[in-house]
Amino acid sequence: MDVSAAYRYCEQVTSTEARNFSYGIKLLTPPKRRALSAAYAFARRIDDIGDGTLPAADKLAALAEARTAVAALASGRPPAGDPVLIALDDAARRFPIPVEAFGEIVDGCVADVQGTSYATFDELLHYCRCVAGSVGRLSLGIFGADDLAQAAPLADALGVALQLTNILRDIREDYQNGRVYLPAEDLDRFGCSLDALAGSLNGAASAAGLNGAAEPLARLIGFEAERARSWYATGLRLMPMLDRRSAASAGAMAGIYRRLLERIAAAPAEVVKGRLSLSTGEKITVAVRSLAGMAVRPRPARTSAAAAVPGEPA
């Protein structure tokens, strides 16, 4: 397969599978759009292994194969005949993509398969950086910045913000799949036990049971939403460091997730009933506004915006 066909395959994967990211990816220039589509397609492949229906042992074996592919990419010798790896290898030759970061995504998926839970936010933060901060840093390699070392912690923080939003959105689905990402220390702090919500999360709660659990759940989700907002505030300091089209792309992705976060924060009990999402029209509106806003903004002078990272956001 030639490189052009490989890129077309990756763009097709992105257009059909990236329900939120595709709106931002489409705002990039063609070379960057192709490269980010290749990065997304491989990250999606890894994630699909972790979320798939294979037995755990088979998932771990497939993840080990993905890790081998990452090592081959890093050495410049990707397996032949795989359109995603062909495109990604070409992209990595054109852009400073930190391909080793795909190994972090593998690490996060291994934790999912093994049923890892998180006692503290610091433990959860490590997971978020593996599965989403890594994607921020991979994207940054394609976006470009005047100072990649300064920008990388901000891209990482934006990825963390998006992952925290995902965790709140998917409380019900994750629980039904045997996964609990909310830190145990936070559940304890707000007197919120997911076991107490088991009936509602499985669609069989009484109204009294749900109402009794709703108040601590609302407080917990409000707390986690505020935490996510602080990570957005840090991550969005990346925008002035990007060129206009890249900033519009990243801004659209972040904007869609931020709007989703505010919807969750406004109606926390809804996450128990099912997954919340934005309509196609809302996503398009965010993307158009992001592109329009970035088209008219001046490029600010470089700052030391990354100085306050890498702990909790400033």
Side-chain angles (χ1 to χ4, degrees):
M1 176 179 289
D2 65 24
V3 172
S4 295
Y7 275 126
R8 286 195 297 273
Y9 175 83
C10 292
E11 289 188 282
Q12 179 63 31
V13 170
T14 300
S15 66
T16 57
E17 301 293 338
R19 287 172 292 185
N20 292 322
F21 285 165
S22 63
Y23 293 90
I25 292 174
K26 290 175 182 176
L27 301 182
L28 292 168
T29 59
K32 291 184 178 182
R33 184 176 66 241
R34 289 191 292 268
L36 195 51
S37 293
Y40 173 85
F42 189 47
R44 179 69 188 223
R45 175 184 295 179
I46 297 169
D47 190 59
D48 283 348
I49 295 170
D51 288 340
T53 58
L54 291 172
D58 292 342
K59 287 183 179 182
L60 293 175
L63 289 169
E65 291 178 5
R67 196 184 299 278
T68 299
V70 172
L73 276 170
S75 67
R77 299 189 301 274
D82 185 322
V84 173
L85 297 180
I86 289 171
L88 189 53
D89 178 62
D90 184 77
R93 296 176 190 276
R94 297 173 185 272
F95 299 96
I97 301 173
V99 295
E100 64 279 357
F102 286 107
E104 297 177 48
I105 302 176
V106 174
D107 291 339
C109 288
V110 167
D112 284 340
V113 173
Q114 294 175 336
T116 303
S117 58
Y118 304 94
T120 67
F121 178 70
D122 284 344
E123 292 179 4
L124 178 63
L125 177 58
H126 174 74
Y127 169 81
C128 290
R129 284 182 161 143
C130 283
V131 299
S134 58
V135 176
R137 285 175 268 119
L138 288 161
S139 301
L140 177 64
I142 296 166
F143 291 151
D146 293 335
D147 187 338
L148 287 173
Q150 185 185 49
L154 302 179
D156 182 274
L158 195 55
V160 169
L162 269 59
Q163 186 61 26
L164 292 174
T165 304
N166 276 340
I167 288 169
L168 292 177
R169 179 195 65 190
D170 296 340
I171 288 176
R172 176 191 175 99
E173 180 180 328
D174 288 333
Y175 185 86
Q176 291 173 334
N177 289 326
R179 298 175 183 173
V180 176
Y181 293 101
L182 296 172
E185 65 181 3
D186 295 346
L187 292 168
D188 291 343
R189 179 181 304 168
F190 292 96
C192 183
S193 167
L194 288 183
D195 288 337
L197 289 170
S200 59
L201 290 168
N202 288 312
S206 66
L210 179 56
N211 290 338
E215 185 176 345
L217 175 66
R219 293 199 308 268
L220 172 63
I221 290 178
F223 174 80
E224 302 295 354
E226 187 59 33
R227 172 178 273 159
R229 290 186 189 107
S230 70
W231 284 94
Y232 279 111
T234 298
L236 288 170
R237 286 153 54 191
L238 173 68
M239 298 301 114
M241 304 173 74
L242 306 178
D243 66 74
R244 285 176 171 81
R245 292 283 289 274
S246 296
S249 175
M253 297 179 206
I256 288 169
Y257 276 86
R258 283 180 74 195
R259 183 174 288 198
L260 176 59
L261 176 69
E262 296 310 320
R263 181 161 297 176
I264 292 168
E270 294 301 310
V271 301
V272 175
K273 301 176 183 177
R275 172 187 281 211
L276 294 180
S277 63
L278 303 185
S279 69
T280 298
E282 288 175 299
K283 294 174 184 179
I284 292 173
T285 297
V286 172
V288 170
R289 288 178 177 173
S290 182
L291 182 60
M294 293 304 169
V296 299
R297 70 168 174 82
R299 177 82 180 252
R302 288 170 59 187
T303 68
S304 57
V309 188
E312 287 277 352

